[in-house]
Amino acid sequence: MQSLQWYLHRLGRMSPAEMAYRAAQAARATTHRWVRLDRSPAPAPNLALQIEPRCYIHASQPLEQAPYTERAQALLAGRFSIFNLEACQLGEPARGVLENVPQWNRDPLTGRQAPLRPAATLDYRDESLVGNIKYLWEPNRHLHLPQLAQAYALTGEFRYALAVKSHVSSWIEQCPRGRGPNWSSSLELAIRLINWSIAWQLLGGAGSALFGGREGHVFRDRWLRCVYQHVQAICSKLSRFSSANNHLIGEAAGVWIASITWGYWPQMRRWGRRCGRILEAEAIRQNAEDGGNREQAFAYQQFVLDFLLLAGLAGRAVGEDFSPRYWQRIETMLSFLAAIMDVAGQVPMVGDADDGYVVQLSPEPQFDNFRSLLATGAVLFDRMDFADKAGGIDHKTCWLLGSQAVEYERRLLGRAADQVSNGVDEPAAAPQCRAFHQSGYFLLGDGFDTPDEVRLLVDAGPLGYLSLAAHGHADALSVVLSVGGREVLVDPGTYAYHTEPQWRRYFRSTRAHNTVEVDGQDQSSQSGNFMWSRHANARCLRFQVDAVQQCFVGEHDGYRALGDPVTHRRQISYCTQSRSFEIVDTFECIGSHEISRRWHFAECLEPALREGEIQVRAGPYRVRLVAADPATRVQRFRAGTAMEGGWISRRFGCKAPATCVSWVSQIQGTTSVCTRIYCERS
């Protein structure tokens, strides 16, 4: 159970209306202690209500079969990849189509088996009860079922379809309605529905050979009843009020797609229409006009984009499209991604990231969903600049857009051939926008999208979304620097969610970002793994770009809560001629304080410390950070404690040593300190 302090903080983030809503949810949970929902049958589907719709997944593309069959063979052998667990076995050996049957309620990381208690009363955050819930939930999203169905669609080999049947049947058997961890999150139900929908289409819909004969009919109806129960459960517990973030978008998308795929009940259609309206509204509400997702976490931008794109394509397939405004917001979100992506295709790890995906349709070993989204956007919106950043059309885009994607790829190849024959090497288009005022991100540098690119991203956005700011980090006025497509100053990432609380706190903290820590305090106050009780407010005061000089000025009030209030203002100037930055940090205060300028370097770099200077070599570039105002002491951390740092997390559940340098100074009254960064090509 959460601590009393956590509950008090949580109540403090709620409005009176939300308190009433949560009380009603708690009353329903109490009822579920005594009512066996799994014994309440779902109504039988009426297949005559719906003619199978045109699919939003396209299986007839000229794709090489081998990567798909290799992946499917691994699944038949029971080998799953779950975050940092490779070739993970989910079950015990058994006879049948599969060499083992997954144990769906067991955490593959710790081996702990979660109890089948009523889901509404099960504390899935309790590691002693369920293990690491992220690792338990991941295979239960059933992202692998479309992979098996893809292999079946490409080869016609029925064993892949039978494997889907085996997994769905065993899941329904082991996870009775409303009981256990796999019914405790509406978002998880929604993602599972989306993957069931894709697998259903690729298997051939209601008329699939998998459903032939009496046994096949029984399995089909059992699966459909479970679909109904999923949608019913989601609609009874939509994420509302302070929790209405990406979860609400995902839940609405799952119900909308389910209603299109399985419109075999009048109620299913009503639920779908309701969630379609929610999705349309939330697409606009949760994503700023400049294209940034309001959760201030770039990984969640790609997560949300997948929900919006899949739901939109599903609607278009049956003539129930969303509004032009919906699609315009998607295009703007993709423009934002293209702008923050460096020439090597890297996106800074700003905010939370949990390696979560809605679907995994591509077997490409170096698959990158940010690039894939841009490829899909290139085809949908005829944006060659997106295609340039994506580097071409990927397999996922082919499954989503079919012949459209194939034709667009021909256009790209034709354009490339024309450039070669004409001796023209046209570079990718530079960012059309470098100031994202609503989202709070600003780009300084030059040579964008060329091999000589210098790119510095400044974060002056809100802490996060709504009162919880669940996925935000205390990174006000932090910077991220890449030179020539090589990361130099990085955001260290996320690492953990529900477990290892000391590391969860560290990776969200101010000291884990390239900004300034005052008196060893965070800019904002953490009060739970996904909750902040006090939010720093950052803002841009000025942003100016011209041919020679660029300037950003911003400030935040995160340290106004100190006994002697401090306002931190950061001015960053960039000179295109010298390719150098000047960062002036000003602290408006009366008393004395200890300030720490933190610099986090990519793990492949080996910073050399000299008097008042840090030097690193990144490929052909030498980058020098010079303290114009020498620090009182210099600290260097690599693989330190959670209080020290010196780590980077590229994948959920994994952290690797990386160097962090801290310049610590004592100040008295209003003081400015200056750092200069030189990007020199040798």
Side-chain angles (χ1 to χ4, degrees):
M1 294 293 291
Q2 299 291 331
S3 67
L4 177 61
Q5 186 179 34
W6 183 91
Y7 282 105
L8 292 174
H9 282 305
R10 187 67 182 89
L11 284 170
R13 311 314 297 170
M14 294 184 190
S15 65
E18 181 173 5
M19 291 181 187
Y21 177 77
R22 300 293 177 193
Q25 292 285 337
R28 184 180 292 114
T30 300
T31 302
H32 288 173
R33 287 177 182 269
W34 315 111
V35 176
R36 289 296 301 263
L37 293 177
D38 54 310
R39 294 176 181 171
S40 303
N46 182 356
L47 299 186
L49 278 180
Q50 175 175 297
I51 299 173
E52 286 296 316
R54 296 191 307 277
C55 294
Y56 62 94
I57 297 295
H58 303 266
S60 59
Q61 302 313 310
L63 298 172
E64 183 185 355
Q65 293 181 9
Y68 293 92
T69 56
E70 288 172 10
R71 187 170 63 172
Q73 282 297 118
L75 293 169
L76 289 180
R79 297 195 300 273
F80 291 73
S81 293
I82 303 171
F83 303 131
N84 58 318
L85 302 180
E86 299 292 341
C88 174
Q89 295 283 342
L90 293 184
E92 303 297 337
R95 294 179 181 177
V97 176
L98 303 176
E99 292 182 13
N100 68 39
V101 175
Q103 300 299 300
W104 297 112
N105 292 299
R106 188 174 71 182
D107 164 28
L109 182 66
T110 64
R112 190 173 297 279
Q113 185 83 13
L116 288 180
R117 296 180 185 174
T121 63
L122 179 67
D123 184 4
Y124 60 78
R125 303 174 187 86
D126 186 347
E127 191 173 7
S128 66
L129 192 65
V130 302
N132 188 314
I133 193 62
K134 280 293 297 177
Y135 284 81
L136 190 155
W137 274 343
E138 187 65 16
N140 284 279
R141 290 182 168 185
H142 286 185
L143 276 70
H144 67 283
L145 292 190
Q147 297 169 7
L148 290 166
Q150 283 175 312
Y152 170 68
L154 290 173
T155 68
E157 293 188 31
F158 202 58
R159 57 198 176 115
Y160 299 126
L162 289 174
V164 173
K165 178 183 178 181
S166 177
H167 273 183
V168 173
S169 295
S170 65
W171 192 92
I172 294 172
E173 183 69 30
Q174 295 177 33
C175 305
R177 178 190 181 190
R179 304 190 78 81
N182 289 315
W183 288 89
S184 59
S185 166
S186 293
L187 179 64
E188 300 304 312
L189 298 177
I191 295 174
R192 190 157 51 246
L193 279 176
I194 291 171
N195 284 282
W196 282 1
S197 167
I198 294 171
W200 178 275
Q201 293 176 62
L202 293 176
L203 291 170
S208 169
L210 190 64
F211 305 136
R214 184 178 180 280
E215 183 182 342
H217 280 65
V218 169
F219 167 62
R220 181 188 63 194
D221 287 355
R222 193 179 185 208
W223 191 0
L224 287 174
R225 289 175 191 269
C226 194
V227 164
Y228 182 95
Q229 292 167 348
H230 271 62
V231 174
Q232 185 180 45
I234 294 168
C235 290
S236 70
K237 194 182 176 184
L238 289 167
S239 296
R240 292 295 197 182
F241 300 101
S242 59
S243 298
N245 53 11
N246 71 85
H247 283 232
L248 182 57
I249 284 179
E251 292 155 11
V255 172
W256 168 255
I257 289 171
S259 73
I260 288 171
T261 309
W262 303 288
Y264 304 130
W265 304 266
Q267 181 62 46
M268 180 73 79
R269 293 170 180 246
R270 289 193 291 271
W271 283 328
R273 286 192 292 270
R274 175 193 174 198
C275 284
R277 292 190 295 271
I278 291 172
L279 190 60
E280 175 99 35
E282 293 301 319
I284 306 304
R285 184 176 293 120
Q286 294 194 36
N287 302 289
E289 291 179 12
D290 60 20
N293 180 262
R294 296 190 190 277
E295 294 212 63
Q296 311 301 130
F298 293 167
Y300 279 88
Q301 178 125 355
Q302 64 84 21
F303 194 54
V304 164
L305 271 166
D306 261 346
F307 284 126
L308 298 180
L309 280 167
L310 288 163
L313 293 173
R316 279 187 172 178
V318 296
E320 297 184 26
D321 204 352
F322 289 94
S323 71
R325 191 182 182 202
Y326 177 93
W327 289 102
Q328 288 163 5
R329 189 55 52 96
I330 288 176
E331 184 177 5
T332 308
M333 292 173 70
L334 292 169
S335 295
F336 177 88
L337 281 186
I340 62 170
M341 181 183 287
D342 73 11
V343 67
Q346 297 161 145
V347 174
M349 296 186 292
V350 171
D352 267 352
D354 66 352
D355 292 0
Y357 294 100
V358 182
V359 293
Q360 289 182 337
L361 299 177
S362 175
E364 295 157 298
Q366 301 304 316
F367 175 78
D368 179 274
N369 202 39
F370 289 105
R371 289 193 185 212
S372 175
L373 286 164
L374 290 174
T376 303
V379 180
L380 281 174
F381 304 110
D382 193 14
R383 292 283 298 268
M384 286 288 183
D385 57 327
F386 289 175
D388 288 335
K389 292 301 282 265
I393 304 302
D394 67 302
H395 284 223
K396 177 188 167 197
T397 299
C398 288
W399 286 97
L400 293 178
L401 300 180
S403 58
Q404 267 186 285
V406 174
E407 179 57 34
Y408 203 85
E409 188 167 33
R410 289 197 189 102
R411 284 180 57 191
L412 293 176
L413 292 172
R415 186 186 67 152
D418 289 343
Q419 290 175 359
V420 170
S421 63
N422 295 327
V424 177
D425 185 15
E426 183 182 342
Q432 295 179 352
C433 181
R434 292 169 58 176
F436 299 91
H437 287 277
Q438 292 93 349
S439 301
Y441 300 101
F442 301 86
L443 285 167
L444 294 94
D446 67 343
F448 288 106
D449 299 320
T450 73
D452 288 326
E453 172 184 82
V454 172
R455 174 187 292 264
L456 184 121
L457 179 73
V458 189
D459 184 344
L463 174 64
Y465 187 54
L466 301 176
S467 62
L468 297 182
H471 292 298
H473 288 189
D475 53 7
L477 305 186
S478 180
V479 300
V480 176
L481 174 66
S482 71
V483 181
R486 294 168 175 84
E487 294 176 303
V488 179
L489 295 175
V490 298
D491 186 309
T494 299
Y495 179 59
Y497 267 9
H498 298 284
T499 57
E500 300 190 68
Q502 74 278 19
W503 290 110
R504 176 64 174 153
R505 291 186 66 85
Y506 167 72
F507 279 97
R508 301 168 82 203
S509 71
T510 300
R511 64 182 178 275
H513 296 87
N514 300 308
T515 185
V516 183
E517 186 182 49
V518 177
D519 293 341
Q521 301 296 308
D522 272 347
Q523 301 159 339
S524 300
S525 299
Q526 301 185 44
S527 48
N529 285 338
F530 297 95
M531 181 165 53
W532 299 82
S533 55
R534 181 179 55 79
H535 298 195
N537 298 293
R539 60 174 180 154
C540 172
L541 302 175
R542 181 162 63 93
F543 183 73
Q544 179 182 346
V545 173
D546 59 40
V548 178
Q549 196 75 23
Q550 303 170 21
C551 184
F552 162 87
V553 181
E555 68 178 16
H556 74 85
D557 64 0
Y559 296 121
R560 299 292 300 169
L562 295 175
D564 174 48
V566 177
T567 297
H568 175 204
R569 183 175 296 114
R570 173 166 273 191
Q571 176 172 316
I572 306 175
S573 303
Y574 179 71
C575 176
T576 57
Q577 293 177 333
S578 63
R579 309 200 89 187
S580 63
F581 297 92
E582 182 179 79
I583 303 177
V584 178
D585 291 299
T586 299
F587 307 90
E588 294 181 353
C589 56
I590 297 173
S592 61
H593 298 275
E594 181 180 85
I595 63 167
S596 175
R597 287 172 277 179
R598 310 276 293 194
W599 309 110
H600 298 265
F601 293 90
E603 65 272 36
C604 59
L605 302 181
E606 298 180 2
L609 274 62
R610 292 171 172 77
E611 188 67 30
E613 183 173 324
I614 310 168
Q615 289 189 15
V616 293
R617 183 162 292 280
Y621 295 91
R622 181 178 67 164
V623 179
R624 297 188 296 121
L625 284 74
V626 179
D629 303 278
T632 306
R633 69 180 187 276
V634 177
Q635 298 174 312
R636 176 181 179 141
F637 303 110
R638 188 173 180 88
T641 67
M643 291 302 296
E644 296 168 336
W647 296 93
I648 190 168
S649 176
R650 298 280 183 186
R651 298 178 61 190
F652 189 77
C654 295
K655 64 182 192 294
T659 300
C660 169
V661 178
S662 177
W663 288 337
V664 182
S665 303
Q666 297 292 327
I667 64 169
Q668 177 69 46
T670 297
T671 305
S672 295
V673 295
C674 177
T675 303
R676 295 189 178 94
I677 303 177
Y678 300 93
C679 305
E680 303 163 340
R681 190 177 179 99
S682 55

